[in-house]
Amino acid sequence: MNEKQLPSVAYFSMEYGLSSDFKMYAGGLGILAGDYIKGARDIQAPIIPIGLKWKQGYTDQKIDAAGNPYDSYHNHVYDFLEDTGVKVTVKVRKIDVVCKVWKTDRFGNNPLYLLDTDIPENGDAWITGQLYGWFGEERIAQEIVLGIGGVKAMRALQIPIDVYHFNEGHAALAAIELIREKCPAAAPLKKPGKLPGKRLCSLHIHRSRKAMRRTRWTVWSIWALLTA
């Protein structure tokens, strides 16, 4: 495939199913994302995937002696990840959170960039601890790292991007970062239809509207983590 005919696409996903030994996925959403970036490698499509490096991944379900299921979590170490040397910073409740950027193409995939907050610089190292773990505020913090941190990582890596694609809405805050890049702080926004970033982004939703309503964060909870 001739890459020059295609736009360069930053592909944001909360999870990637590349191998059963690489605990970066929970289920179908991750398997889909993993297949996409393996297929992109096969056809040499300019898709640049970005996600989070999960320390414990999703739960490993086990069965106890009485036949009852229970969840277990383990700290995973992946010595094959390549250190890009890049770190970016996002703010969560006005506190700087440093995100280290790792890279891997080990599984026949386009190079995958993973942001990691479990580093000595952070008091909030827990953000990339568990995939879909904990409570509402922690989940929003994860989405700040993925969306805002992901855009900043592309800039720091000096990877030119034409389109930003979100595999589900977890990375939607990337659009806020793109708007912030293009709008001076003092510039008034006249019409919603004129917001920069509108044509830069695409979104793939896999859930029903009813399910989305059940998991939707309030504007105020998101605003609190971004500005409090």
Side-chain angles (χ1 to χ4, degrees):
M1 180 175 290
N2 186 350
E3 293 186 22
K4 294 182 180 179
Q5 297 176 350
L6 299 173
S8 176
V9 179
Y11 183 88
F12 290 72
S13 183
M14 193 70 91
E15 51 177 294
Y16 290 90
L18 294 169
S19 168
S20 60
D21 295 325
F22 192 35
K23 307 295 185 179
M24 299 291 127
Y25 69 101
L29 184 73
I31 299 299
L32 174 69
D35 284 350
Y36 272 163
I37 65 174
K38 288 179 180 179
R41 177 68 171 269
D42 291 342
I43 64 173
Q44 300 181 0
I47 295 175
I48 301 93
I50 190 160
L52 302 183
K53 177 184 174 289
W54 300 109
K55 184 173 185 176
Q56 297 184 337
Y58 198 59
T59 178
D60 289 324
Q61 193 171 79
K62 299 183 180 298
I63 306 295
D64 65 20
N68 300 311
Y70 66 94
D71 292 332
S72 64
Y73 296 90
H74 310 275
N75 293 337
H76 299 287
V77 177
Y78 304 107
D79 56 9
F80 58 82
L81 293 176
E82 177 186 338
D83 183 354
T84 65
V86 167
K87 293 180 180 177
V88 297
T89 301
V90 301
K91 285 190 179 294
V92 178
R93 289 193 179 280
K94 291 189 176 180
I95 297 172
D96 285 340
V97 176
V98 181
C99 310
K100 185 179 181 68
V101 184
W102 301 92
K103 173 184 172 182
T104 184
D105 59 0
R106 180 184 179 90
F107 304 101
N109 55 280
N110 270 9
L112 167 62
Y113 297 92
L114 297 169
L115 278 70
D116 180 15
T117 63
D118 186 30
I119 55 177
E121 291 95 319
N122 292 325
D124 291 329
W126 50 265
I127 294 176
T128 56
Q130 291 179 3
L131 171 58
Y132 305 137
W134 300 303
F135 306 102
E137 286 196 356
E138 288 81 359
R139 287 283 303 277
I140 297 170
Q142 292 172 351
E143 296 183 6
I144 291 172
V145 172
L146 177 62
I148 295 175
V151 172
K152 290 186 173 184
M154 293 293 98
R155 301 293 182 264
L157 291 161
Q158 299 184 342
I159 299 175
I161 302 297
D162 299 309
V163 177
Y164 298 80
H165 180 81
F166 310 147
N167 188 28
E168 274 286 358
H170 305 123
L173 292 174
I176 302 298
E177 180 63 19
L178 293 171
I179 292 170
R180 183 157 49 194
E181 283 184 347
K182 293 179 178 294
C183 288
L189 297 177
K190 297 180 180 179
K191 294 182 180 180
K194 298 297 183 181
L195 287 175
K198 182 181 178 184
R199 295 186 180 181
L200 287 176
C201 303
S202 64
L203 172 66
H204 189 177
I205 295 293
H206 304 268
R207 295 173 293 167
S208 67
R209 291 184 180 180
K210 184 177 180 180
M212 290 174 64
R213 285 196 295 270
R214 288 199 302 268
T215 59
R216 183 174 54 194
W217 313 125
T218 67
V219 170
W220 296 115
S221 61
I222 295 173
W223 183 255
L225 283 174
L226 286 172
T227 63

